[in-house]
Amino acid sequence: SLLPEIVVYSAESDTVIGDVNGDGEIDTVDATFIISYYYGKTEFDAEQIKAADVNKDGEVDTVDATFVISYYYGKIEEF
């Protein structure tokens, strides 16, 4: 696996839906973090879980990652 065993990330700013790592951008890095979280390779704090659940269905999963990728590539304009 290319992912580390367990990595803990913490977002330091106000929650922006889709911006899981808190760097001010919604991009493929955020989608990668969501997928890593889904497979249990990354732990999120409460704010990151809120940011990662872009379709607001109460779960962080590959659907959320797909939304982030679609947003990044301009296929959708908002969550």
Side-chain angles (χ1 to χ4, degrees):
S1 171
L2 297 176
L3 298 172
E5 285 305 308
I6 293 287
V7 179
V8 179
Y9 293 95
S10 177
E12 298 297 328
S13 60
D14 292 332
T15 302
V16 175
I17 302 304
D19 183 16
V20 179
N21 64 349
D23 69 353
E25 297 183 28
I26 299 169
D27 55 20
T28 57
V29 174
D30 298 300
T32 301
F33 284 145
I34 290 169
I35 292 167
S36 181
Y37 176 85
Y38 176 74
Y39 285 108
K41 301 294 184 179
T42 302
E43 294 180 2
F44 287 167
D45 63 26
E47 291 300 308
Q48 287 173 296
I49 291 170
K50 182 178 174 184
D53 184 16
V54 296
N55 67 348
K56 299 178 179 86
D57 69 351
E59 298 193 21
V60 175
D61 55 23
T62 57
V63 174
D64 299 301
T66 301
F67 274 107
V68 169
I69 292 167
S70 295
Y71 178 86
Y72 177 75
Y73 285 107
K75 302 295 183 187
I76 59 174
E77 294 183 12
E78 60 184 38
F79 301 120

